[in-house]
Amino acid sequence: MPADEPVSARPSLRERRRAAATQEILDAAELQLAEDGPGALSLRGVARSLGMTVQALYHYFPSRDSLVTSLVAKAYDDLADAVQASVDTAGGDTVAGDSTDGDSALPRLVVATEGYRRWAIDHPEHFQLLYGTPLRYYAAPVDGPTTQAVRRMGAVFEREMFGGYTAQQLAAAEMPALSTELRTYLESLPPGGLGNLPAPATALFLSAWGHMHGLVVLEVFGHTAYLGDHQAEIFRVTMRNMTADINRRIPQA
């Protein structure tokens, strides 16, 4: 090894044991979440499932909020991984799709939204932890791990939605007139999240996100069950129309 090559210190035995115990607690909490739903999550129940006392669990998670924060951040990261994997699999600008909708080429943004939907349907309890009824008395830490995880997922969608456009095109996106107050607020957002976008593009992003997310919420919570096996096709058609509308609203170079 060259003399100037940095050597990463191996975690101590104590650190490795703590990391293993922390992961075991998170796994037990996720199992409880899957079996009983977010509202039933408790430190006492997690500790009991592991054969440990609540006092011992406090050495790893000093409160229910700290455990919930870790679970929420992990769920957002898992969701972002699923969305990223879907677009990585797609490759290029489009990917072969289902010919039942009349067109075999799917825009990558549609692929990303379908990755979002699939994860939500496959992990309904985790999705409800993120977007269901807020847990009583829980407040996420300001700009903490949950916020960072949300930004990571948002960045994937931002790239797929606007990656082919320059800032000048995004600034000229056609949107209903924004109030002076809203435009000022959007322009004041810090960089690292939606603050990277011009105000019209931010408004367009939030509108599209709400459209996509709303449909997924309706399905996960059973409000579109009357569509039966056609829910996936309805979602795809809607997302294709949304993507076409986004592209119409942004001036071409």
Side-chain angles (χ1 to χ4, degrees), residues 71-215:
L71 290 172
V72 170
K74 183 179 184 302
Y76 274 124
D77 278 332
D78 289 347
L79 177 51
D81 287 342
V83 174
Q84 183 64 60
S86 67
V87 295
D88 286 346
T89 301
D93 296 326
T94 59
V95 62
D98 187 343
S99 60
T100 59
D101 63 7
D103 192 341
S104 61
L106 288 178
R108 283 168 58 90
L109 177 58
V110 175
V111 175
T113 65
E114 291 191 329
Y116 186 94
R117 173 184 173 272
R118 279 193 302 272
W119 185 90
I121 292 171
D122 290 342
H123 304 85
E125 296 84 7
H126 293 78
F127 188 79
Q128 290 178 37
L129 175 66
L130 300 181
Y131 299 115
T133 303
L135 294 178
R136 187 181 294 273
Y137 308 122
Y138 172 72
V142 177
D143 206 26
T146 56
T147 301
Q148 299 303 320
V150 170
R151 286 176 178 168
R152 178 189 166 219
M153 183 175 61
V156 177
F157 279 101
E158 180 183 329
R159 184 190 66 232
E160 300 307 329
M161 194 177 297
F162 299 135
Y165 299 105
T166 64
Q168 185 176 12
Q169 290 171 283
L170 295 178
E174 178 189 344
M175 286 293 291
L178 304 179
S179 68
T180 302
E181 294 79 6
L182 176 57
R183 181 179 286 272
T184 300
Y185 175 77
L186 294 178
E187 290 174 348
S188 71
L189 292 175
L194 292 178
N196 295 329
L197 297 171
T202 301
L204 183 57
F205 179 92
L206 292 173
S207 175
W209 177 273
H211 196 172
M212 181 270 297
H213 176 70
L215 286 177

Side-chain angles (χ1 to χ4, degrees), residues 36-57:
D36 304 320
L41 186 64
S42 73
L43 291 183
R44 188 174 301 280
V46 171
R48 184 166 52 247
S49 71
L50 293 172
M52 64 190 303
T53 66
V54 175
Q55 289 71 25
L57 192 148

